[in-house]
Amino acid sequence: MWDHTGKEYIDACSGAVICNIGYGNPKIANAIAEQAHETFFAYRTQFENEPAVRLATELVEYSAPHLNRVFYVSGGSEAVESAMKLCRQYFYNRGEGSRYLFISRVPSYHGSTLGALALTSYAPLEIPFRPMIRTYPKIPAPYCYRCAFHKEYPHCDLECARALETTILEQGPENVAAFVVEPIVGASIGALVPPEDYFSVIQKTCRKYGIFLILDEVMTGFGRTGKLFAYEHWDIEADIVALSKGMASGYYPLGAIMVRDDTVDEVVSKGGFAHGHTYAGNPMACAVGLEVFRVITKEHLSENAAEMGRPLKAGLKDFAERYKMIGQVRGKGLLLAVELVKDRDTREPFPIEKEVNLLLTDMAYEEGLIIYPRRPINGLSGDHVLVAPPLIVKKDQVGEILDRLDRALKRTMNKL
Ligand SMILES: Cc1ncc(COP(=O)(O)O)c(C=O)c1O
C-alpha cells in the first residue's frame, strides 16, 4: 500500500483480516468488468443468477459434505444474524418455539448490528448499546493464558468447555437454540487456538441437548488459518457456518451462511425463510466471490498460509526470546497474534493509559508496516496485535515483515 505522500507500507493484517488474496489482483478486475457487461443486479426472489449459482456450487463442493446449501448476505454481521434467524425459524417451525437463546463466549466479536452485538462480548463496542440489546448467556473463552477458572490445561478438565452444559442446564435446555463460536478467535483475544479436545466437548454437548453449533468463520474462513475452513482442524460438524471477509477479499461486500439440507427444507417447506437483504446474492458480488474462490483454491492459498505461517510464527516466537514485553505468541496459519505484558512472570498487563497496543501499531506504521491492535481482556485492558498478512505472502516478504516489526518493537520498548 502507498499513502498520499508515496510512503510504502506492507499490510501485515490484510486490512481488517479480509484481503486474503492481496490487493490489485487483475483477475478480479477482469471478473468485475465481464460481469458488468452482463448484469449488475437481479433480485433474488425473481431470478437466480449464474455467478451466484456457480459460487454456491463450488462452495458446496469444497466444504464439509453435510454443508450443501448457501444463503448469501453482504457482510459478516449479516451472516451471523442470518445464522441466528435460520436456526430460530427451524426450531419454531418444528414446534420448538421455546428455543430462542443463543449462548456465546466472553470475550468474542460477532459483528456490530444489534443481533450480532448481542452475541459479542467486547466491552468498548457494547457498553453504549447495552440497554438496547437482548442479554444472552455467555461462557468464558478458552483463554488459557488468562484462565477464567485459574486452572492450567490439561489439569483443568476443560472447565471452560464444560461451562456450556452448565449454562444450558441453568437456562433450561428447551430454551436454548444454539452455541455460537469462532473456531479460532480472531480480533477480540487475538488468534486464540482452543485446546485440542475443546471442540469435541462442545460438539457432544450441543448434540446431547439438540442445540445448533454455529461456527462464525467470518475471519477464519477462506484459507486464513492454513485450511480452507478452520473447522477442518478438528473433527467437528457445524450446523451452520457464517462466512464473509476473505470470501470476496475486500473487492466487494459479500458473505454467506452454509447449512445442511434438512435445516433449509424445514424452513422452506413451511413458507420460506422470513429474512433477507435486497443486495444479497447480487451477480456482481458473486462474480467477485467466484473469482476470489478460484484464486484461493487454484493457487493453493490455504496451503501457502500454512507454510508461510510457520516462519512468521517462528520469527514472532524469536522476538519473545528477545523482548520481555511479549507475553505470548499464538495462532495458526496466517492468523497470528502477539500479546504484550508489563511483567512476563505474573502476566500483568500494561496500564491501560499507556495504550501499548496502539503505540506498537504507531511505531509499526512509521516503519511502513500495518498491524491490527486490540485489547484481550474483554476489550478493557491488556494489549495484543494481530499479524495476519494476505495469504499470497512469500518467504522474503515474511522476512521483511519481521524486520519491520523488530524495529517497531525496539522503538516501542524505548518509548515505554
Ligand atoms: C468473527 C467475526 N464475525 C463477524 C464479524 C462482522 O463482520 P462485518 O464487519 O463484515 O459485519 C467480524 C468482523 O470483524 C468478525 O471478525
Side-chain angles (χ1 to χ4, degrees), residues 16-18 74-80 108-113 116 120 181-188 216-220 242-245 254 372 374:
V17 196
I18 166 167
S74 304
S77 305
E78 283 185 10
V80 168
S108 58
Y109 185 70
H110 294 289
S112 58
T113 51
T120 291
V181 61
E182 283 177 87
I184 294 176
V185 181
S188 62
D216 179 347
E217 290 240 24
V218 167
M219 191 178 277
T220 52
L243 304 165
S244 186
K245 291 203 188 252
L254 180 63
Y372 199 77
R374 282 289 182 275

Side-chain angles (χ1 to χ4, degrees), residues 17-251:
V17 196
I18 166 167
C19 302
N20 287 16
I21 70 160
Y23 295 89
N25 188 317
K27 287 184 181 161
I28 311 304
N30 290 340
I32 290 173
E34 271 174 35
Q35 186 56 43
H37 287 292
E38 297 290 331
T39 181
F40 274 88
F41 187 75
Y43 189 50
R44 70 195 156 82
T45 64
Q46 295 153 357
F47 293 98
E48 286 192 321
N49 68 76
E50 243 180 78
V53 173
R54 286 213 179 117
L55 175 58
T57 308
E58 294 203 9
L59 285 170
V60 167
E61 186 188 329
Y62 281 84
S63 62
H66 69 286
L67 296 173
N68 40 23
R69 301 293 273 271
V70 177
F71 179 84
Y72 290 113
V73 292
S74 304
S77 305
E78 283 185 10
V80 168
E81 296 209 5
S82 302
M84 294 171 78
K85 286 178 76 177
L86 186 70
C87 168
R88 162 66 189 166
Q89 203 182 331
Y90 169 80
F91 284 124
Y92 180 84
N93 284 9
R94 278 167 55 100
E96 294 184 74
S98 66
R99 289 191 189 268
Y100 73 101
L101 289 173
F102 292 83
I103 303 174
S104 56
R105 303 192 304 191
V106 181
S108 58
Y109 185 70
H110 294 289
S112 58
T113 51
L114 293 179
L117 199 57
L119 302 177
T120 291
S121 177
Y122 196 83
L125 298 179
E126 332 144 33
I127 285 171
F129 311 107
R130 272 189 189 154
M132 300 159 62
I133 343 180
R134 173 175 282 287
T135 311
Y136 286 128
K138 304 208 169 42
I139 62 171
Y143 185 12
C144 299
Y145 189 68
R146 300 187 186 282
C147 175
F149 302 98
H150 307 286
K151 293 193 170 168
E152 206 157 313
Y153 182 77
H155 310 293
C156 57
D157 195 29
L158 282 171
E159 197 161 336
C160 55
R162 297 191 193 283
L164 179 60
E165 180 161 24
T166 319
T167 306
I168 292 171
L169 292 173
E170 269 167 19
Q171 300 293 329
E174 70 283 5
N175 299 319
V176 181
F179 179 53
V180 186
V181 61
E182 283 177 87
I184 294 176
V185 181
S188 62
I189 307 180
L192 183 97
V193 183
E196 201 44 46
D197 36 355
Y198 178 83
F199 272 110
S200 79
V201 175
I202 294 294
Q203 176 95 71
K204 273 189 208 132
T205 309
C206 289
R207 291 233 169 101
K208 183 170 171 188
Y209 295 99
I211 72 168
F212 272 24
L213 173 60
I214 298 179
L215 289 186
D216 179 347
E217 290 240 24
V218 167
M219 191 178 277
T220 52
F222 298 95
R224 173 56 57 192
T225 69
K227 303 267 188 197
L228 189 55
F229 301 106
Y231 61 68
E232 294 170 31
H233 291 293
W234 302 280
D235 182 20
I236 43 175
E237 216 176 83
D239 298 286
I240 308 183
V241 177
L243 304 165
S244 186
K245 291 203 188 252
M247 186 174 185
S249 281
Y251 288 84

